[in-house]
Amino acid sequence: MISFLPLAGGAFLGWSLGGNDAPNVFGTAVASRIISFRKAALLCSAAIIAGAFLQGQAGLATLGDFVTRQNMTGLTIASIAAATTVTAMTLFRLPVSASQAIVGAISGISLATGTMEWSLLLKVVICWLATPLGAMIIACVVYKLLGFGISQVPMSILTRDKILWSGLLIFGVYGSYALGANNVANATGIFANGRIAGVTDQHLVLLGGVTMALGVITFSKRVMFTVGSGIMPLDAFTSLVAVAAMSFTLHIFAMIGVPVSTSQGIVGAIMGIGLMRGAQAMQFKTLGRIGIGWVLTPLVALILSAASWAIVTPILTPAS
Amino acid sequence: MIFVNKQKKVEGQLDLYRQTVSECYQGFLDAIMRYYQCGDREQLTDDYHKVHKLESRADDIRREIGVMLYSKSIFPESRGDILNLLEMMDKVPNQTESTLGMILTHHIKLPEELRTMIVELLRLGDLCIEALLESAGKLFSDFTSATVAIGKIDQLESDADVVEMNLIEKIFGSAIYSDMQKILLRDVVVNMAGITDKAENAGDRIRVIAAKRMI
């Protein structure tokens, strides 16, 4: 029973993360009606579980290091605060960063307890800034290379469609795999390194992967269309470029071991495409809303967790 | 492999459609030439029915392609583009059929003194449709080069406009036709020139379809 509550917090976070971050992978293809939501959700869920189980350990270790000085009560509060923040942002149809939510929530607890790991926080924040920038650069390179490749081979417009359709499926699955590998740490990573008796890291990645998959199936439709068509209208080619760039970026960070945001990856990639195609097609109002969401997410999670800590700990601590 | 077969079927039907549009115009061309040679209305009626059948066949193929496109895994954007293009291309056989139908039902005699210019107008229409069908074919073999022949269509349509103007001027400047004949002949000429206009419109659509897919 003691270990149930932290795990429930992790599961809640995993579910909200799946609902908010998975749309970044298949949102472009679903919004442009290239693949149905049902097919996308099933493919995405399976790949997330595989990614989390097979390559989710590295990010788990990083986040585990980040929280070594927190006790189980603080971590449980942090995971619930982060999940609540991401769920609220999803209800507002904003693609936000679960990494920012969880790090913001842990920072809230750390500030409240005076245990902040500033150097680790700095590393994570640098990666947050690098994610959209990296995705933007990778998107420009993929755009040029893929465009050159397609223009060099004489083909029917139907063959072109088939190539792009296959590419979107392959990169959608790859991106979902990378999402599972990279973001499972955000869901259950804070309980890693044997912090809960009888729960191994393998159990945690499996729990994180499965709950993320559930979030995809039950809660991801809201954000999907914001990503897929809200920032700029995407066709099959630009959808593929966006998903490929985001997947590469995410996988690179997964290998480094830093959990980053698919939201920042996909938005950065779409901005890269905007640079290549002309910025006039971009909906700056939507971008502005997304930017505000990115600033608010860690702040809201921080305030929520710090406030919850302030309320809960006096109740749990027996009066001397 | 299944996808390749489905795509081949669609492309096969599109080839058949292009061939039917070409046959329809050739039928129209032959009908006018024969009418000029012998002025036989029975022959013209037979020729009209042949053209009408080809026009109907083109319609059927277009509808079949529409059904195929909806049942195959093709991007909605491409499906819309192809159906839209076929609708625009379909106006070419429609126009040839209605022009021939007009000559038949209005008992219009094509004057010998206009023959050279009318033949020239029809020759330009022939070249224009050839260029259109070539462009449309390129969309399904090498879409990046589909726009090459579009420039030719624009030029041919422009040349046809000049011939049309000259014909109308000659008709109304002549004293040998009655006012009614003048109006009917003008309508025939405008309808004939309309074929190249329809081809040009379809060519413009091909230009957009190809441009959307260029990087």
Side-chain angles (χ1 to χ4, degrees), chain A residues 189-236:
Chain A
I190 55 174
F191 306 115
N193 304 333
R195 295 178 76 91
I196 302 173
V199 178
T200 64
D201 287 1
Q202 288 287 325
H203 293 140
L204 289 173
V205 288
L206 196 59
L207 175 72
V210 169
T211 51
M212 280 165 72
L214 278 174
V216 175
I217 294 166
T218 58
F219 200 48
S220 65
K221 214 169 182 177
R222 282 173 174 275
V223 179
M224 216 164 254
F225 284 88
T226 304
V227 173
S229 56
I231 302 168
M232 70 179 279
L234 296 173
D235 55 19

Side-chain angles (χ1 to χ4, degrees), chain A residues 226-278:
Chain A
T226 304
V227 173
S229 56
I231 302 168
M232 70 179 279
L234 296 173
D235 55 19
F237 175 76
T238 45
S239 296
L240 176 57
V241 171
V243 175
M246 185 216 68
S247 305
F248 287 139
T249 311
L250 210 63
H251 203 177
I252 290 167
F253 279 111
M255 287 190 292
I256 296 169
V258 178
V260 292
S261 163
T262 52
S263 310
Q264 291 171 339
I266 198 77
V267 172
I270 295 174
M271 285 170 72
I273 293 164
L275 286 179
M276 303 301 290
R277 282 236 163 141

Side-chain angles (χ1 to χ4, degrees), chain A residues 7 13 34 38 57 68 81 115 125 143 152 228 289 301-302:
Chain A
L7 288 179
L13 184 54
I34 290 160
R38 182 198 287 254
Q57 304 278 349
T68 46
T115 54
V125 169
Y143 185 97
Q152 290 306 301
R289 275 184 66 222
L302 186 147

Side-chain angles (χ1 to χ4, degrees), chain A residues 17-314:
Chain A
L17 195 158
N20 194 288
D21 279 24
N24 301 322
V25 184
F26 271 109
T28 52
V30 172
S32 46
R33 294 184 294 151
I34 290 160
I35 182 169
S36 69
F37 171 75
R38 182 198 287 254
K39 273 184 200 162
L42 287 175
L43 278 173
C44 186
S45 304
I48 280 176
I49 294 172
F53 198 69
L54 298 173
Q55 270 193 293
Q57 304 278 349
L60 217 64
T62 302
L63 217 64
D65 292 345
F66 191 65
V67 296
T68 46
R69 294 170 70 182
Q70 304 305 329
N71 63 25
M72 195 49 65
T73 308
L75 295 179
T76 306
I77 289 171
S79 65
I80 293 171
T84 308
T85 308
V86 175
T87 305
M89 294 297 177
T90 307
L91 290 172
F92 285 111
R93 298 174 195 273
L94 285 174
V96 295
S97 163
S99 318
Q100 287 183 326
I102 192 70
V103 171
I106 294 165
S107 300
I109 303 289
S110 303
L111 283 175
T113 54
T115 54
M116 179 64 93
E117 296 273 1
W118 291 105
S119 59
L120 265 173
L121 181 66
L122 187 69
K123 179 190 171 189
V124 175
V125 169
I126 288 169
C127 287
W128 288 350
L129 296 174
T131 308
L133 202 67
M136 197 188 293
I137 294 164
I138 291 173
C140 292
V141 174
V142 173
Y143 185 97
K144 279 281 173 200
L145 286 178
L146 194 63
F148 179 77
I150 287 179
S151 66
Q152 290 306 301
V153 185
M155 67 176 82
S156 156
I157 56 170
L158 297 177
T159 308
R160 176 188 177 275
D161 280 5
K162 285 282 171 274
I163 291 171
L164 296 179
W165 186 78
S166 309
L168 273 165
L169 278 191
I170 291 166
F171 277 102
V173 170
Y174 170 51
S176 304
Y177 177 89
L179 172 67
N182 187 297
N183 271 227
V184 70
N186 288 327
T188 50
I190 55 174
F191 306 115
N193 304 333
R195 295 178 76 91
I196 302 173
V199 178
T200 64
D201 287 1
Q202 288 287 325
H203 293 140
L204 289 173
V205 288
L206 196 59
L207 175 72
V210 169
T211 51
M212 280 165 72
L214 278 174
V216 175
I217 294 166
T218 58
F219 200 48
S220 65
K221 214 169 182 177
R222 282 173 174 275
V223 179
M224 216 164 254
F225 284 88
T226 304
V227 173
S229 56
I231 302 168
M232 70 179 279
L234 296 173
D235 55 19
F237 175 76
T238 45
S239 296
L240 176 57
V241 171
V243 175
M246 185 216 68
S247 305
F248 287 139
T249 311
L250 210 63
H251 203 177
I252 290 167
F253 279 111
M255 287 190 292
I256 296 169
V258 178
V260 292
S261 163
T262 52
S263 310
Q264 291 171 339
I266 198 77
V267 172
I270 295 174
M271 285 170 72
I273 293 164
L275 286 179
M276 303 301 290
R277 282 236 163 141
Q280 66 272 17
M282 289 170 72
Q283 299 287 327
F284 287 102
K285 202 175 162 188
T286 310
L287 271 180
R289 275 184 66 222
I290 291 171
I292 290 167
W294 287 357
V295 175
L296 282 181
T297 302
L299 281 179
V300 170
L302 186 147
I303 293 164
L304 257 183
S305 65
S308 304
W309 173 264
I311 294 165
V312 169
T313 43

